[in-house]
PDB file of all heavy atoms in Angstrom:
ATOM      1  N   GLY I   1      59.595   7.069 -31.241  1.00 92.00           N
ATOM      2  CA  GLY I   1      58.720   8.231 -31.158  1.00 92.00           C
ATOM      3  C   GLY I   1      57.635   8.150 -30.105  1.00 92.00           C
ATOM      4  O   GLY I   1      56.866   9.104 -29.916  1.00 92.00           O
ATOM      5  N   THR I   2      57.544   7.029 -29.397  1.00 95.00           N
ATOM      6  CA  THR I   2      56.554   6.874 -28.321  1.00 95.00           C
ATOM      7  C   THR I   2      57.237   7.083 -26.985  1.00 95.00           C
ATOM      8  O   THR I   2      58.331   6.555 -26.746  1.00 95.00           O
ATOM      9  CB  THR I   2      55.907   5.483 -28.362  1.00 95.00           C
ATOM     10  OG1 THR I   2      55.248   5.311 -29.623  1.00 95.00           O
ATOM     11  CG2 THR I   2      54.890   5.317 -27.236  1.00 95.00           C
ATOM     12  N   THR I   3      56.594   7.852 -26.103  1.00 96.00           N
ATOM     13  CA  THR I   3      57.109   8.098 -24.757  1.00 96.00           C
ATOM     14  C   THR I   3      56.210   7.409 -23.738  1.00 96.00           C
ATOM     15  O   THR I   3      54.989   7.590 -23.751  1.00 96.00           O
ATOM     16  CB  THR I   3      57.154   9.605 -24.456  1.00 96.00           C
ATOM     17  OG1 THR I   3      58.006  10.256 -25.409  1.00 96.00           O
ATOM     18  CG2 THR I   3      57.694   9.862 -23.052  1.00 96.00           C
ATOM     19  N   TYR I   4      56.821   6.621 -22.867  1.00 98.00           N
ATOM     20  CA  TYR I   4      56.101   5.936 -21.790  1.00 98.00           C
ATOM     21  C   TYR I   4      56.421   6.653 -20.478  1.00 98.00           C
ATOM     22  O   TYR I   4      57.590   6.810 -20.107  1.00 98.00           O
ATOM     23  CB  TYR I   4      56.521   4.471 -21.720  1.00 98.00           C
ATOM     24  CG  TYR I   4      56.223   3.703 -22.994  1.00 98.00           C
ATOM     25  CD1 TYR I   4      57.180   3.605 -24.001  1.00 98.00           C
ATOM     26  CD2 TYR I   4      54.991   3.093 -23.189  1.00 98.00           C
ATOM     27  CE1 TYR I   4      56.921   2.913 -25.175  1.00 98.00           C
ATOM     28  CE2 TYR I   4      54.709   2.393 -24.367  1.00 98.00           C
ATOM     29  CZ  TYR I   4      55.682   2.309 -25.346  1.00 98.00           C
ATOM     30  OH  TYR I   4      55.428   1.618 -26.513  1.00 98.00           O
ATOM     31  N   TYR I   5      55.372   7.088 -19.775  1.00 98.00           N
ATOM     32  CA  TYR I   5      55.507   7.925 -18.589  1.00 98.00           C
ATOM     33  C   TYR I   5      55.283   7.115 -17.303  1.00 98.00           C
ATOM     34  O   TYR I   5      54.709   6.020 -17.332  1.00 98.00           O
ATOM     35  CB  TYR I   5      54.484   9.062 -18.631  1.00 98.00           C
ATOM     36  CG  TYR I   5      54.756  10.107 -19.691  1.00 98.00           C
ATOM     37  CD1 TYR I   5      54.137  10.044 -20.942  1.00 98.00           C
ATOM     38  CD2 TYR I   5      55.623  11.168 -19.444  1.00 98.00           C
ATOM     39  CE1 TYR I   5      54.376  11.004 -21.911  1.00 98.00           C
ATOM     40  CE2 TYR I   5      55.865  12.137 -20.406  1.00 98.00           C
ATOM     41  CZ  TYR I   5      55.243  12.052 -21.633  1.00 98.00           C
ATOM     42  OH  TYR I   5      55.483  13.006 -22.591  1.00 98.00           O
ATOM     43  N   PRO I   6      55.676   7.681 -16.153  1.00 98.00           N
ATOM     44  CA  PRO I   6      55.487   6.983 -14.869  1.00 98.00           C
ATOM     45  C   PRO I   6      54.052   7.124 -14.349  1.00 98.00           C
ATOM     46  O   PRO I   6      53.292   7.996 -14.768  1.00 98.00           O
ATOM     47  CB  PRO I   6      56.478   7.695 -13.941  1.00 98.00           C
ATOM     48  CG  PRO I   6      56.593   9.079 -14.500  1.00 98.00           C
ATOM     49  CD  PRO I   6      56.457   8.926 -15.998  1.00 98.00           C
ATOM     50  N   TRP I   7      53.724   6.257 -13.393  1.00 98.00           N
ATOM     51  CA  TRP I   7      52.430   6.311 -12.724  1.00 98.00           C
ATOM     52  C   TRP I   7      52.335   7.548 -11.824  1.00 98.00           C
ATOM     53  O   TRP I   7      53.330   8.003 -11.278  1.00 98.00           O
ATOM     54  CB  TRP I   7      52.221   5.071 -11.864  1.00 98.00           C
ATOM     55  CG  TRP I   7      52.143   3.775 -12.603  1.00 98.00           C
ATOM     56  CD1 TRP I   7      53.115   2.813 -12.665  1.00 98.00           C
ATOM     57  CD2 TRP I   7      51.038   3.280 -13.363  1.00 98.00           C
ATOM     58  NE1 TRP I   7      52.685   1.757 -13.421  1.00 98.00           N
ATOM     59  CE2 TRP I   7      51.407   2.010 -13.867  1.00 98.00           C
ATOM     60  CE3 TRP I   7      49.772   3.785 -13.668  1.00 98.00           C
ATOM     61  CZ2 TRP I   7      50.559   1.237 -14.651  1.00 98.00           C
ATOM     62  CZ3 TRP I   7      48.923   3.016 -14.453  1.00 98.00           C
ATOM     63  CH2 TRP I   7      49.313   1.760 -14.932  1.00 98.00           C
ATOM     64  N   LYS I   8      51.111   8.024 -11.653  1.00 98.00           N
ATOM     65  CA  LYS I   8      50.848   9.076 -10.681  1.00 98.00           C
ATOM     66  C   LYS I   8      49.376   8.989 -10.264  1.00 98.00           C
ATOM     67  O   LYS I   8      48.545   8.380 -10.964  1.00 98.00           O
ATOM     68  CB  LYS I   8      51.175  10.467 -11.237  1.00 98.00           C
ATOM     69  CG  LYS I   8      50.383  10.883 -12.465  1.00 98.00           C
ATOM     70  CD  LYS I   8      50.829  12.270 -12.929  1.00 98.00           C
ATOM     71  CE  LYS I   8      50.016  12.751 -14.116  1.00 98.00           C
ATOM     72  NZ  LYS I   8      50.148  11.868 -15.295  1.00 98.00           N
ATOM     73  N   LEU I   9      49.068   9.614  -9.121  1.00 98.00           N
ATOM     74  CA  LEU I   9      47.703   9.610  -8.592  1.00 98.00           C
ATOM     75  C   LEU I   9      47.192  11.038  -8.442  1.00 98.00           C
ATOM     76  O   LEU I   9      47.973  11.992  -8.387  1.00 98.00           O
ATOM     77  CB  LEU I   9      47.670   8.890  -7.234  1.00 98.00           C
ATOM     78  CG  LEU I   9      47.940   7.378  -7.265  1.00 98.00           C
ATOM     79  CD1 LEU I   9      48.117   6.835  -5.855  1.00 98.00           C
ATOM     80  CD2 LEU I   9      46.821   6.636  -7.984  1.00 98.00           C
ATOM     81  N   ASP I  10      45.866  11.163  -8.339  1.00 97.00           N
ATOM     82  CA  ASP I  10      45.210  12.464  -8.198  1.00 97.00           C
ATOM     83  C   ASP I  10      44.659  12.587  -6.785  1.00 97.00           C
ATOM     84  O   ASP I  10      43.727  11.877  -6.417  1.00 97.00           O
ATOM     85  CB  ASP I  10      44.073  12.588  -9.212  1.00 97.00           C
ATOM     86  CG  ASP I  10      43.380  13.948  -9.178  1.00 97.00           C
ATOM     87  OD1 ASP I  10      43.687  14.761  -8.281  1.00 97.00           O
ATOM     88  OD2 ASP I  10      42.516  14.192 -10.048  1.00 97.00           O
ATOM     89  N   PRO I  11      45.212  13.493  -5.947  1.00 96.00           N
ATOM     90  CA  PRO I  11      44.758  13.609  -4.552  1.00 96.00           C
ATOM     91  C   PRO I  11      43.348  14.153  -4.420  1.00 96.00           C
ATOM     92  O   PRO I  11      42.755  14.085  -3.336  1.00 96.00           O
ATOM     93  CB  PRO I  11      45.782  14.560  -3.926  1.00 96.00           C
ATOM     94  CG  PRO I  11      46.275  15.389  -5.080  1.00 96.00           C
ATOM     95  CD  PRO I  11      46.292  14.465  -6.260  1.00 96.00           C
ATOM     96  N   ASP I  12      42.798  14.707  -5.490  1.00 95.00           N
ATOM     97  CA  ASP I  12      41.421  15.200  -5.459  1.00 95.00           C
ATOM     98  C   ASP I  12      40.435  14.174  -5.993  1.00 95.00           C
ATOM     99  O   ASP I  12      39.235  14.457  -6.105  1.00 95.00           O
ATOM    100  CB  ASP I  12      41.315  16.506  -6.251  1.00 95.00           C
ATOM    101  CG  ASP I  12      42.100  17.633  -5.595  1.00 95.00           C
ATOM    102  OD1 ASP I  12      41.971  17.802  -4.370  1.00 95.00           O
ATOM    103  OD2 ASP I  12      42.860  18.314  -6.299  1.00 95.00           O
ATOM    104  N   ALA I  13      40.939  13.008  -6.355  1.00 96.00           N
ATOM    105  CA  ALA I  13      40.084  11.908  -6.814  1.00 96.00           C
ATOM    106  C   ALA I  13      40.665  10.625  -6.226  1.00 96.00           C
ATOM    107  O   ALA I  13      41.322   9.851  -6.926  1.00 96.00           O
ATOM    108  CB  ALA I  13      40.030  11.866  -8.336  1.00 96.00           C
ATOM    109  N   PHE I  14      40.439  10.420  -4.924  1.00 94.00           N
ATOM    110  CA  PHE I  14      41.102   9.364  -4.157  1.00 94.00           C
ATOM    111  C   PHE I  14      41.019   7.991  -4.817  1.00 94.00           C
ATOM    112  O   PHE I  14      41.979   7.237  -4.821  1.00 94.00           O
ATOM    113  CB  PHE I  14      40.476   9.246  -2.767  1.00 94.00           C
ATOM    114  CG  PHE I  14      40.550  10.479  -1.928  1.00 94.00           C
ATOM    115  CD1 PHE I  14      39.466  10.860  -1.154  1.00 94.00           C
ATOM    116  CD2 PHE I  14      41.693  11.255  -1.891  1.00 94.00           C
ATOM    117  CE1 PHE I  14      39.520  11.985  -0.358  1.00 94.00           C
ATOM    118  CE2 PHE I  14      41.765  12.388  -1.108  1.00 94.00           C
ATOM    119  CZ  PHE I  14      40.671  12.761  -0.339  1.00 94.00           C
ATOM    120  N   GLU I  15      39.848   7.650  -5.348  1.00 95.00           N
ATOM    121  CA  GLU I  15      39.602   6.291  -5.785  1.00 95.00           C
ATOM    122  C   GLU I  15      39.764   6.097  -7.286  1.00 95.00           C
ATOM    123  O   GLU I  15      39.552   5.004  -7.796  1.00 95.00           O
ATOM    124  CB  GLU I  15      38.203   5.850  -5.337  1.00 95.00           C
ATOM    125  CG  GLU I  15      38.069   5.820  -3.814  1.00 95.00           C
ATOM    126  CD  GLU I  15      36.753   5.230  -3.346  1.00 95.00           C
ATOM    127  OE1 GLU I  15      35.796   5.235  -4.134  1.00 95.00           O
ATOM    128  OE2 GLU I  15      36.688   4.763  -2.193  1.00 95.00           O
ATOM    129  N   ASP I  16      40.159   7.129  -8.007  1.00 97.00           N
ATOM    130  CA  ASP I  16      40.375   6.989  -9.443  1.00 97.00           C
ATOM    131  C   ASP I  16      41.622   6.138  -9.717  1.00 97.00           C
ATOM    132  O   ASP I  16      42.576   6.140  -8.920  1.00 97.00           O
ATOM    133  CB  ASP I  16      40.552   8.359 -10.096  1.00 97.00           C
ATOM    134  CG  ASP I  16      39.229   9.068 -10.304  1.00 97.00           C
ATOM    135  OD1 ASP I  16      38.191   8.560  -9.810  1.00 97.00           O
ATOM    136  OD2 ASP I  16      39.224  10.144 -10.947  1.00 97.00           O
ATOM    137  N   PRO I  17      41.644   5.445 -10.852  1.00 97.00           N
ATOM    138  CA  PRO I  17      42.844   4.673 -11.195  1.00 97.00           C
ATOM    139  C   PRO I  17      44.046   5.585 -11.400  1.00 97.00           C
ATOM    140  O   PRO I  17      43.909   6.756 -11.774  1.00 97.00           O
ATOM    141  CB  PRO I  17      42.451   3.991 -12.513  1.00 97.00           C
ATOM    142  CG  PRO I  17      40.977   4.076 -12.607  1.00 97.00           C
ATOM    143  CD  PRO I  17      40.571   5.296 -11.852  1.00 97.00           C
ATOM    144  N   ALA I  18      45.226   5.048 -11.148  1.00 97.00           N
ATOM    145  CA  ALA I  18      46.454   5.773 -11.455  1.00 97.00           C
ATOM    146  C   ALA I  18      46.552   5.991 -12.959  1.00 97.00           C
ATOM    147  O   ALA I  18      46.057   5.196 -13.762  1.00 97.00           O
ATOM    148  CB  ALA I  18      47.664   4.988 -10.964  1.00 97.00           C
ATOM    149  N   THR I  19      47.188   7.088 -13.352  1.00 98.00           N
ATOM    150  CA  THR I  19      47.402   7.395 -14.766  1.00 98.00           C
ATOM    151  C   THR I  19      48.896   7.394 -15.070  1.00 98.00           C
ATOM    152  O   THR I  19      49.730   7.517 -14.174  1.00 98.00           O
ATOM    153  CB  THR I  19      46.793   8.762 -15.134  1.00 98.00           C
ATOM    154  OG1 THR I  19      47.402   9.784 -14.322  1.00 98.00           O
ATOM    155  CG2 THR I  19      45.297   8.767 -14.907  1.00 98.00           C
ATOM    156  N   ASN I  20      49.209   7.272 -16.355  1.00 97.00           N
ATOM    157  CA  ASN I  20      50.618   7.276 -16.779  1.00 97.00           C
ATOM    158  C   ASN I  20      50.760   7.933 -18.145  1.00 97.00           C
ATOM    159  O   ASN I  20      51.378   7.384 -19.056  1.00 97.00           O
ATOM    160  CB  ASN I  20      51.189   5.857 -16.793  1.00 97.00           C
ATOM    161  CG  ASN I  20      50.377   4.897 -17.661  1.00 97.00           C
ATOM    162  OD1 ASN I  20      49.339   5.259 -18.199  1.00 97.00           O
ATOM    163  ND2 ASN I  20      50.865   3.677 -17.797  1.00 97.00           N
ATOM    164  N   ASN I  21      50.187   9.126 -18.245  1.00 97.00           N
ATOM    165  CA  ASN I  21      50.184   9.835 -19.526  1.00 97.00           C
ATOM    166  C   ASN I  21      50.967  11.143 -19.499  1.00 97.00           C
ATOM    167  O   ASN I  21      50.928  11.908 -20.456  1.00 97.00           O
ATOM    168  CB  ASN I  21      48.744  10.098 -19.965  1.00 97.00           C
ATOM    169  CG  ASN I  21      47.922  10.804 -18.889  1.00 97.00           C
ATOM    170  OD1 ASN I  21      48.477  11.279 -17.898  1.00 97.00           O
ATOM    171  ND2 ASN I  21      46.617  10.842 -19.075  1.00 97.00           N
ATOM    172  N   SER I  22      51.676  11.432 -18.411  1.00 97.00           N
ATOM    173  CA  SER I  22      52.487  12.653 -18.323  1.00 97.00           C
ATOM    174  C   SER I  22      53.446  12.513 -17.149  1.00 97.00           C
ATOM    175  O   SER I  22      53.402  11.520 -16.410  1.00 97.00           O
ATOM    176  CB  SER I  22      51.595  13.895 -18.143  1.00 97.00           C
ATOM    177  OG  SER I  22      50.830  13.799 -16.958  1.00 97.00           O
ATOM    178  N   ASP I  23      54.302  13.515 -16.948  1.00 97.00           N
ATOM    179  CA  ASP I  23      55.296  13.461 -15.885  1.00 97.00           C
ATOM    180  C   ASP I  23      54.655  13.413 -14.500  1.00 97.00           C
ATOM    181  O   ASP I  23      53.571  13.959 -14.275  1.00 97.00           O
ATOM    182  CB  ASP I  23      56.210  14.693 -15.951  1.00 97.00           C
ATOM    183  CG  ASP I  23      57.170  14.644 -17.119  1.00 97.00           C
ATOM    184  OD1 ASP I  23      57.445  13.540 -17.611  1.00 97.00           O
ATOM    185  OD2 ASP I  23      57.634  15.725 -17.550  1.00 97.00           O
ATOM    186  N   ASN I  24      55.355  12.787 -13.573  1.00 97.00           N
ATOM    187  CA  ASN I  24      55.000  12.806 -12.157  1.00 97.00           C
ATOM    188  C   ASN I  24      55.868  13.874 -11.491  1.00 97.00           C
ATOM    189  O   ASN I  24      57.089  13.766 -11.478  1.00 97.00           O
ATOM    190  CB  ASN I  24      55.259  11.428 -11.532  1.00 97.00           C
ATOM    191  CG  ASN I  24      54.927  11.361 -10.060  1.00 97.00           C
ATOM    192  OD1 ASN I  24      55.059  12.327  -9.316  1.00 97.00           O
ATOM    193  ND2 ASN I  24      54.514  10.191  -9.600  1.00 97.00           N
ATOM    194  N   ASN I  25      55.240  14.904 -10.922  1.00 97.00           N
ATOM    195  CA  ASN I  25      55.975  16.035 -10.355  1.00 97.00           C
ATOM    196  C   ASN I  25      55.896  16.114  -8.836  1.00 97.00           C
ATOM    197  O   ASN I  25      56.210  17.158  -8.258  1.00 97.00           O
ATOM    198  CB  ASN I  25      55.455  17.346 -10.959  1.00 97.00           C
ATOM    199  CG  ASN I  25      55.779  17.465 -12.432  1.00 97.00           C
ATOM    200  OD1 ASN I  25      56.896  17.183 -12.850  1.00 97.00           O
ATOM    201  ND2 ASN I  25      54.801  17.868 -13.234  1.00 97.00           N
ATOM    202  N   VAL I  26      55.495  15.022  -8.173  1.00 98.00           N
ATOM    203  CA  VAL I  26      55.367  15.072  -6.715  1.00 98.00           C
ATOM    204  C   VAL I  26      56.125  13.958  -6.004  1.00 98.00           C
ATOM    205  O   VAL I  26      56.546  14.126  -4.855  1.00 98.00           O
ATOM    206  CB  VAL I  26      53.884  15.049  -6.269  1.00 98.00           C
ATOM    207  CG1 VAL I  26      53.163  16.283  -6.766  1.00 98.00           C
ATOM    208  CG2 VAL I  26      53.185  13.774  -6.724  1.00 98.00           C
ATOM    209  N   ASP I  27      56.320  12.803  -6.642  1.00 98.00           N
ATOM    210  CA  ASP I  27      56.924  11.648  -5.966  1.00 98.00           C
ATOM    211  C   ASP I  27      58.424  11.568  -6.211  1.00 98.00           C
ATOM    212  O   ASP I  27      58.899  11.900  -7.297  1.00 98.00           O
ATOM    213  CB  ASP I  27      56.283  10.352  -6.459  1.00 98.00           C
ATOM    214  CG  ASP I  27      54.890  10.139  -5.906  1.00 98.00           C
ATOM    215  OD1 ASP I  27      54.780   9.779  -4.728  1.00 98.00           O
ATOM    216  OD2 ASP I  27      53.906  10.353  -6.654  1.00 98.00           O
ATOM    217  N   ASN I  28      59.151  11.079  -5.211  1.00 98.00           N
ATOM    218  CA  ASN I  28      60.575  10.772  -5.407  1.00 98.00           C
ATOM    219  C   ASN I  28      60.784   9.270  -5.605  1.00 98.00           C
ATOM    220  O   ASN I  28      61.853   8.725  -5.353  1.00 98.00           O
ATOM    221  CB  ASN I  28      61.447  11.310  -4.272  1.00 98.00           C
ATOM    222  CG  ASN I  28      61.051  10.794  -2.909  1.00 98.00           C
ATOM    223  OD1 ASN I  28      59.875  10.543  -2.631  1.00 98.00           O
ATOM    224  ND2 ASN I  28      62.029  10.637  -2.024  1.00 98.00           N
ATOM    225  N   ILE I  29      59.735   8.612  -6.057  1.00 98.00           N
ATOM    226  CA  ILE I  29      59.792   7.264  -6.622  1.00 98.00           C
ATOM    227  C   ILE I  29      58.939   7.312  -7.884  1.00 98.00           C
ATOM    228  O   ILE I  29      57.799   7.786  -7.855  1.00 98.00           O
ATOM    229  CB  ILE I  29      59.286   6.188  -5.638  1.00 98.00           C
ATOM    230  CG1 ILE I  29      58.914   4.882  -6.392  1.00 98.00           C
ATOM    231  CG2 ILE I  29      58.071   6.669  -4.868  1.00 98.00           C
ATOM    232  CD1 ILE I  29      60.059   4.128  -6.934  1.00 98.00           C
TER     233      ILE I  29
END
């Protein structure tokens, strides 16, 4: 019942840590 999501970054927050709490809709890796 637990879903583990991929890493992604926020282009409007350059230095924020990567998150992994939802789908990544921009990268092809």
Side-chain angles (χ1 to χ4, degrees):
T2 300
T3 300
Y4 299 92
Y5 290 95
W7 296 105
K8 61 181 183 299
L9 292 170
D10 183 353
D12 294 313
F14 300 139
E15 297 187 338
D16 281 8
T19 59
N20 56 356
N21 53 11
S22 60
D23 288 337
N24 180 328
N25 293 315
V26 296
D27 286 285
N28 58 327
I29 161 71

